[in-house]
Amino acid sequence: MNDAEIRYDWTLSEIESIYTLPLPELVFRAQGVHRRFHRPDEVQACALLSIKTGGCPEDCAYCPQSAHYRTGVVRTDLLSVEEVVAAAQAARERGATRFCMGAAWREVPSGLPFERVLEMVRRVRALGLQVCCTLGMLTEEQAQALAAAGLTAYNHNLDTSPEYYGRIITTRTYQDRLTTLERVRRAGIRVCCGGIIGMGESRRDRYRLLEQLATQRPHPESVPINLLVRVAGTPLADAPSVDVFELVRMIATARILMPASVVRLSAGRLSLSDEAQALCLLAGANSIFIGERLLTTPNPLPDRDRALLERLGMRFQEQGGDGAS
Ligand code: SAM
Ligand code: DTB
Ligand code: SF4
């Protein structure tokens, strides 16, 4: 690894000048970085499972699982360990090397539900998969218990800039998010942290999000870039659609700023053409979520993803391959 090339002191004006490069120049630079740190023909397949759905007390304006909005999402209790293991096994058979469990919690409850999550982590890890969880805010003890159970990474997104954040979420602060991320890092768990584009934010908000991510030390190991999935009933249901080239710029800039991180083309792929998705991969994204559902919203069918990679002469990373340990 060319660790010497990794910088943590990116400034807002540098980020702006990268993001606004002529697209051919931006993609060329992103590709140069990408192939020094990753195999350009490989994509990591991750699978998502909602282990506890809906009824969340937070008011995230994009989220179908918030109890503040009527979105038609059916609430469920925490799944059983066996249900989760079966889903992880199925995901592994479809080629996923990472399994991410999401819960619509503001923070992780203590006691039996948390014990059950720890058992899920141990059992999924035992299948040879990377395991990621996204469960809301964590205490230091919970972070350490998750680390001891073998958790590979914890997903906790900053979502947008510190300035725009209050327009999207009022029930917790940016600082709350940063504190949880710090606890995760201190427990020795890798950080998965990214954001969403298409929530009405300005370009400057995107630069500020990227600045927040790229000045963390170490960088988040994994950076999910989500394109807003507009869900009826949420305050962002009618948000204007964002130019797809903004997504490409966001991905390419993330790739240049955080060369060793896995940049994930996450939610929103159903609203992208095959060509747009290909451009995102050319710009440095090297992971997608596979399976017909994200947490609660639809995702491209597995056959379409497989066919797309085949047409591009690319492939899913194998178990135990680069970064899949
Ligand atoms: N409750 C936990 C939390 O907020 O950290 C975990 C689950 S939450 C659904 C995980 C992430 O999914 C959010 O931080 C957000 O970035 C993303 N997300 C949720 N709804 C989305 C949507 N409609 N479109 C795009 N991304 C979304
Ligand atoms: C992330 O950044 N995106 C994934 C994962 N982390 C947990 C979640 C996307 C959720 C999209 C809305 C839904 O399906 O409910
Ligand atoms: Fe709850 Fe997470 Fe959805 Fe926010 S994003 S409402 S915290 S499930």
Side-chain angles (χ1 to χ4, degrees):
M1 280 285 165
N2 318 352
D3 285 351
E5 282 181 54
I6 298 182
R7 284 181 48 195
Y8 305 93
D9 60 351
W10 296 102
T11 65
L12 202 60
S13 65
E14 282 178 306
I15 295 172
E16 173 172 18
S17 52
I18 295 169
Y19 188 103
T20 54
L21 280 170
L23 199 66
E25 191 64 40
L26 175 60
V27 171
F28 177 77
R29 281 191 56 183
Q31 290 200 337
V33 172
H34 193 179
R35 57 186 53 237
R36 281 203 298 281
F37 286 82
H38 307 272
R39 291 194 52 140
D41 58 341
E42 281 191 356
V43 169
Q44 184 181 30
C46 305
L48 269 175
L49 178 68
S50 181
I51 59 170
K52 187 269 168 193
T53 307
C56 182
E58 304 273 16
D59 68 353
C60 312
Y62 49 77
C63 187
Q65 302 200 67
S66 167
H68 297 258
Y69 320 123
R70 287 184 51 175
T71 63
V73 163
V74 179
R75 297 182 190 190
T76 64
D77 291 335
L78 184 59
L79 297 184
S80 70
V81 173
E82 296 312 321
E83 284 171 302
V84 169
V85 172
Q89 242 153 358
R92 190 179 64 172
E93 274 153 32
R94 282 198 308 266
T97 57
R98 183 164 170 125
F99 190 72
C100 178
M101 301 183 267
W105 282 324
R106 170 178 162 78
E107 63 233 320
V108 179
S110 50
L112 284 180
F114 186 52
E115 294 302 320
R116 197 189 290 179
V117 171
L118 293 176
E119 182 60 13
M120 290 171 185
V121 171
R122 286 188 284 264
R123 294 278 301 277
V124 176
R125 193 81 190 94
L127 296 175
L129 291 165
Q130 295 184 349
V131 193
C132 179
C133 278
T134 179
L135 315 168
M137 294 189 256
L138 286 181
T139 64
E140 231 160 275
E141 295 72 34
Q142 287 169 333
Q144 279 155 12
L146 284 166
L151 189 71
T152 311
Y154 195 79
N155 167 250
H156 204 63
N157 292 339
L158 289 171
D159 284 340
T160 188
S161 67
E163 295 74 27
Y164 198 62
Y165 191 83
R167 300 273 298 275
I168 301 297
I169 303 156
T170 68
T171 49
R172 56 168 145 70
T173 64
Y174 213 73
Q175 187 53 50
D176 290 333
R177 291 304 261 190
L178 292 169
T179 302
T180 293
L181 290 168
E182 190 45 43
R183 290 175 180 162
V184 169
R185 203 172 282 121
R186 265 217 300 273
I189 300 168
R190 299 187 219 169
V191 167
C192 170
C193 184
I196 306 180
I197 84 164
M199 303 192 294
E201 75 286 344
S202 66
R203 274 188 166 182
R204 188 184 161 86
D205 291 312
R206 296 186 197 130
Y207 311 152
R208 286 279 286 152
L209 169 63
L210 288 166
E211 182 190 26
Q212 293 288 326
L213 299 171
T215 54
Q216 291 177 21
R217 194 182 260 267
H219 289 154
E221 168 243 2
S222 154
V223 180
I225 306 292
N226 296 281
L227 178 61
L228 176 71
V229 178
R230 289 169 290 186
V231 179
T234 64
L236 291 176
D238 300 316
S241 62
V242 69
D243 180 359
V244 70
F245 298 120
E246 293 297 305
L247 175 64
V248 176
R249 287 181 180 282
M250 189 77 187
I251 288 172
T253 310
R255 167 53 62 229
I256 293 166
L257 301 178
M258 296 170 281
S261 304
V262 178
V263 176
R264 303 187 196 276
L265 171 59
S266 302
R269 289 198 298 118
L270 262 188
S271 60
L272 299 178
S273 66
D274 287 349
E275 293 79 5
Q277 291 189 62
L279 199 44
C280 292
L281 300 177
L282 292 179
N286 58 346
S287 171
I288 58 172
F289 286 112
I290 60 162
E292 53 220 53
R293 211 140 60 108
L294 292 162
L295 290 171
T296 65
T297 63
N299 195 41
L301 296 177
D303 283 352
R304 178 174 162 197
D305 285 342
R306 229 161 243 298
L308 176 59
L309 285 200
E310 210 161 289
R311 286 161 66 207
L312 300 177
M314 296 176 72
R315 55 199 170 89
F316 285 128
Q317 209 172 72
E318 306 268 316
Q319 211 77 234
D322 185 26
S325 53

mmCIF file of all heavy atoms in Angstrom, residues 212-235:
data_model
loop_
_atom_site.group_PDB
_atom_site.id
_atom_site.type_symbol
_atom_site.label_atom_id
_atom_site.label_comp_id
_atom_site.label_asym_id
_atom_site.label_seq_id
_atom_site.Cartn_x
_atom_site.Cartn_y
_atom_site.Cartn_z
ATOM 1 N N GLN A 212 -15.237 16.553 6.060
ATOM 2 C CA GLN A 212 -15.404 15.863 7.350
ATOM 3 C C GLN A 212 -14.876 14.439 7.283
ATOM 4 O O GLN A 212 -14.273 13.940 8.230
ATOM 5 C CB GLN A 212 -16.893 15.801 7.739
ATOM 6 C CG GLN A 212 -17.521 17.131 8.053
ATOM 7 C CD GLN A 212 -17.048 17.694 9.383
ATOM 8 O OE1 GLN A 212 -16.788 16.955 10.321
ATOM 9 N NE2 GLN A 212 -16.908 18.997 9.449
ATOM 10 N N LEU A 213 -15.133 13.774 6.161
ATOM 11 C CA LEU A 213 -14.723 12.372 6.027
ATOM 12 C C LEU A 213 -13.222 12.251 5.801
ATOM 13 O O LEU A 213 -12.540 11.422 6.424
ATOM 14 C CB LEU A 213 -15.472 11.712 4.854
ATOM 15 C CG LEU A 213 -16.997 11.670 4.958
ATOM 16 C CD1 LEU A 213 -17.608 11.194 3.635
ATOM 17 C CD2 LEU A 213 -17.445 10.762 6.100
ATOM 18 N N ALA A 214 -12.696 13.106 4.924
ATOM 19 C CA ALA A 214 -11.308 12.941 4.468
ATOM 20 C C ALA A 214 -10.293 13.513 5.449
ATOM 21 O O ALA A 214 -9.086 13.362 5.247
ATOM 22 C CB ALA A 214 -11.134 13.584 3.087
ATOM 23 N N THR A 215 -10.760 14.190 6.498
ATOM 24 C CA THR A 215 -9.810 14.672 7.504
ATOM 25 C C THR A 215 -9.844 13.793 8.761
ATOM 26 O O THR A 215 -9.186 14.084 9.747
ATOM 27 C CB THR A 215 -10.073 16.154 7.872
ATOM 28 O OG1 THR A 215 -11.444 16.299 8.263
ATOM 29 C CG2 THR A 215 -9.795 17.077 6.692
ATOM 30 N N GLN A 216 -10.648 12.718 8.713
ATOM 31 C CA GLN A 216 -10.592 11.752 9.821
ATOM 32 C C GLN A 216 -9.330 10.912 9.657
ATOM 33 O O GLN A 216 -8.901 10.617 8.557
ATOM 34 C CB GLN A 216 -11.830 10.836 9.804
ATOM 35 C CG GLN A 216 -13.110 11.578 10.169
ATOM 36 C CD GLN A 216 -14.348 10.687 10.084
ATOM 37 O OE1 GLN A 216 -14.259 9.470 10.134
ATOM 38 N NE2 GLN A 216 -15.499 11.311 9.942
ATOM 39 N N ARG A 217 -8.766 10.528 10.811
ATOM 40 C CA ARG A 217 -7.516 9.768 10.792
ATOM 41 C C ARG A 217 -7.677 8.516 11.629
ATOM 42 O O ARG A 217 -7.874 8.657 12.842
ATOM 43 C CB ARG A 217 -6.407 10.648 11.389
ATOM 44 C CG ARG A 217 -5.008 10.130 11.142
ATOM 45 C CD ARG A 217 -4.036 11.053 11.827
ATOM 46 N NE ARG A 217 -3.416 11.993 10.906
ATOM 47 C CZ ARG A 217 -2.256 11.778 10.295
ATOM 48 N NH1 ARG A 217 -1.597 10.677 10.512
ATOM 49 N NH2 ARG A 217 -1.743 12.674 9.501
ATOM 50 N N PRO A 218 -7.655 7.328 11.117
ATOM 51 C CA PRO A 218 -7.570 7.030 9.688
ATOM 52 C C PRO A 218 -8.876 7.409 8.975
ATOM 53 O O PRO A 218 -9.884 7.661 9.621
ATOM 54 C CB PRO A 218 -7.382 5.497 9.681
ATOM 55 C CG PRO A 218 -8.058 5.028 10.922
ATOM 56 C CD PRO A 218 -7.805 6.106 11.945
ATOM 57 N N HIS A 219 -8.797 7.416 7.637
ATOM 58 C CA HIS A 219 -10.023 7.629 6.876
ATOM 59 C C HIS A 219 -11.009 6.511 7.182
ATOM 60 O O HIS A 219 -10.580 5.399 7.530
ATOM 61 C CB HIS A 219 -9.715 7.590 5.372
ATOM 62 C CG HIS A 219 -8.951 8.777 4.892
ATOM 63 N ND1 HIS A 219 -8.142 8.718 3.776
ATOM 64 C CD2 HIS A 219 -8.863 10.045 5.361
ATOM 65 C CE1 HIS A 219 -7.593 9.923 3.581
ATOM 66 N NE2 HIS A 219 -8.019 10.735 4.538
ATOM 67 N N PRO A 220 -12.320 6.774 7.029
ATOM 68 C CA PRO A 220 -13.252 5.640 7.127
ATOM 69 C C PRO A 220 -12.806 4.559 6.133
ATOM 70 O O PRO A 220 -12.460 4.881 4.988
ATOM 71 C CB PRO A 220 -14.592 6.237 6.710
ATOM 72 C CG PRO A 220 -14.445 7.718 6.867
ATOM 73 C CD PRO A 220 -12.996 8.031 6.683
ATOM 74 N N GLU A 221 -12.816 3.337 6.590
ATOM 75 C CA GLU A 221 -12.408 2.222 5.713
ATOM 76 C C GLU A 221 -13.383 2.095 4.551
ATOM 77 O O GLU A 221 -13.047 1.642 3.463
ATOM 78 C CB GLU A 221 -12.403 0.925 6.531
ATOM 79 C CG GLU A 221 -12.289 -0.345 5.725
ATOM 80 C CD GLU A 221 -13.504 -1.273 5.846
ATOM 81 O OE1 GLU A 221 -14.487 -0.934 6.536
ATOM 82 O OE2 GLU A 221 -13.461 -2.341 5.228
ATOM 83 N N SER A 222 -14.608 2.544 4.793
ATOM 84 C CA SER A 222 -15.671 2.355 3.823
ATOM 85 C C SER A 222 -16.521 3.621 3.772
ATOM 86 O O SER A 222 -16.870 4.191 4.817
ATOM 87 C CB SER A 222 -16.444 1.132 4.295
ATOM 88 O OG SER A 222 -17.759 1.133 3.861
ATOM 89 N N VAL A 223 -16.794 4.077 2.545
ATOM 90 C CA VAL A 223 -17.521 5.342 2.374
ATOM 91 C C VAL A 223 -18.736 5.128 1.463
ATOM 92 O O VAL A 223 -18.604 5.138 0.240
ATOM 93 C CB VAL A 223 -16.580 6.426 1.775
ATOM 94 C CG1 VAL A 223 -17.329 7.753 1.604
ATOM 95 C CG2 VAL A 223 -15.341 6.616 2.632
ATOM 96 N N PRO A 224 -19.908 4.894 2.047
ATOM 97 C CA PRO A 224 -21.100 4.732 1.218
ATOM 98 C C PRO A 224 -21.600 6.074 0.696
ATOM 99 O O PRO A 224 -21.740 7.026 1.465
ATOM 100 C CB PRO A 224 -22.131 4.098 2.169
ATOM 101 C CG PRO A 224 -21.658 4.406 3.541
ATOM 102 C CD PRO A 224 -20.183 4.667 3.487
ATOM 103 N N ILE A 225 -21.783 6.146 -0.607
ATOM 104 C CA ILE A 225 -22.384 7.334 -1.217
ATOM 105 C C ILE A 225 -23.787 6.919 -1.669
ATOM 106 O O ILE A 225 -23.939 6.090 -2.570
ATOM 107 C CB ILE A 225 -21.554 7.841 -2.424
ATOM 108 C CG1 ILE A 225 -20.078 8.091 -2.044
ATOM 109 C CG2 ILE A 225 -22.202 9.086 -3.034
ATOM 110 C CD1 ILE A 225 -19.834 9.242 -1.087
ATOM 111 N N ASN A 226 -24.781 7.461 -1.000
ATOM 112 C CA ASN A 226 -26.170 7.137 -1.315
ATOM 113 C C ASN A 226 -26.777 8.243 -2.159
ATOM 114 O O ASN A 226 -26.562 9.428 -1.889
ATOM 115 C CB ASN A 226 -26.994 7.032 -0.025
ATOM 116 C CG ASN A 226 -26.539 5.897 0.886
ATOM 117 O OD1 ASN A 226 -26.870 4.745 0.662
ATOM 118 N ND2 ASN A 226 -25.743 6.235 1.906
ATOM 119 N N LEU A 227 -27.560 7.827 -3.170
ATOM 120 C CA LEU A 227 -28.380 8.783 -3.905
ATOM 121 C C LEU A 227 -29.759 8.685 -3.256
ATOM 122 O O LEU A 227 -30.288 7.571 -3.109
ATOM 123 C CB LEU A 227 -28.415 8.355 -5.376
ATOM 124 C CG LEU A 227 -29.255 9.173 -6.336
ATOM 125 C CD1 LEU A 227 -28.759 10.615 -6.408
ATOM 126 C CD2 LEU A 227 -29.201 8.537 -7.730
ATOM 127 N N LEU A 228 -30.317 9.804 -2.841
ATOM 128 C CA LEU A 228 -31.585 9.750 -2.108
ATOM 129 C C LEU A 228 -32.617 8.878 -2.829
ATOM 130 O O LEU A 228 -32.853 9.058 -4.023
ATOM 131 C CB LEU A 228 -32.167 11.164 -1.942
ATOM 132 C CG LEU A 228 -33.541 11.204 -1.265
ATOM 133 C CD1 LEU A 228 -33.446 10.861 0.219
ATOM 134 C CD2 LEU A 228 -34.196 12.566 -1.455
ATOM 135 N N VAL A 229 -33.202 7.947 -2.089
ATOM 136 C CA VAL A 229 -34.367 7.209 -2.584
ATOM 137 C C VAL A 229 -35.570 7.973 -2.045
ATOM 138 O O VAL A 229 -35.754 8.058 -0.832
ATOM 139 C CB VAL A 229 -34.376 5.750 -2.064
ATOM 140 C CG1 VAL A 229 -35.614 5.013 -2.555
ATOM 141 C CG2 VAL A 229 -33.101 5.014 -2.469
ATOM 142 N N ARG A 230 -36.332 8.586 -2.951
ATOM 143 C CA ARG A 230 -37.438 9.428 -2.492
ATOM 144 C C ARG A 230 -38.632 8.558 -2.132
ATOM 145 O O ARG A 230 -39.172 7.869 -2.989
ATOM 146 C CB ARG A 230 -37.794 10.433 -3.584
ATOM 147 C CG ARG A 230 -36.701 11.496 -3.723
ATOM 148 C CD ARG A 230 -36.885 12.345 -4.940
ATOM 149 N NE ARG A 230 -36.629 11.575 -6.156
ATOM 150 C CZ ARG A 230 -36.602 12.106 -7.357
ATOM 151 N NH1 ARG A 230 -36.837 13.382 -7.523
ATOM 152 N NH2 ARG A 230 -36.352 11.349 -8.414
ATOM 153 N N VAL A 231 -38.972 8.578 -0.858
ATOM 154 C CA VAL A 231 -40.029 7.687 -0.384
ATOM 155 C C VAL A 231 -41.263 8.507 -0.021
ATOM 156 O O VAL A 231 -41.169 9.483 0.743
ATOM 157 C CB VAL A 231 -39.543 6.871 0.839
ATOM 158 C CG1 VAL A 231 -40.653 5.969 1.358
ATOM 159 C CG2 VAL A 231 -38.306 6.042 0.481
ATOM 160 N N ALA A 232 -42.408 8.122 -0.584
ATOM 161 C CA ALA A 232 -43.671 8.829 -0.324
ATOM 162 C C ALA A 232 -43.942 8.847 1.171
ATOM 163 O O ALA A 232 -43.771 7.838 1.858
ATOM 164 C CB ALA A 232 -44.810 8.124 -1.070
ATOM 165 N N GLY A 233 -44.355 10.016 1.667
ATOM 166 C CA GLY A 233 -44.657 10.149 3.090
ATOM 167 C C GLY A 233 -43.530 10.824 3.856
ATOM 168 O O GLY A 233 -43.752 11.387 4.921
ATOM 169 N N THR A 234 -42.293 10.780 3.308
ATOM 170 C CA THR A 234 -41.175 11.471 3.977
ATOM 171 C C THR A 234 -41.144 12.924 3.494
ATOM 172 O O THR A 234 -41.634 13.229 2.400
ATOM 173 C CB THR A 234 -39.809 10.811 3.640
ATOM 174 O OG1 THR A 234 -39.575 10.951 2.223
ATOM 175 C CG2 THR A 234 -39.779 9.348 4.020
ATOM 176 N N PRO A 235 -40.553 13.822 4.276
ATOM 177 C CA PRO A 235 -40.483 15.226 3.851
ATOM 178 C C PRO A 235 -39.699 15.415 2.551
ATOM 179 O O PRO A 235 -39.868 16.425 1.882
ATOM 180 C CB PRO A 235 -39.744 15.897 5.021
ATOM 181 C CG PRO A 235 -39.951 14.993 6.192
ATOM 182 C CD PRO A 235 -40.057 13.617 5.648
#
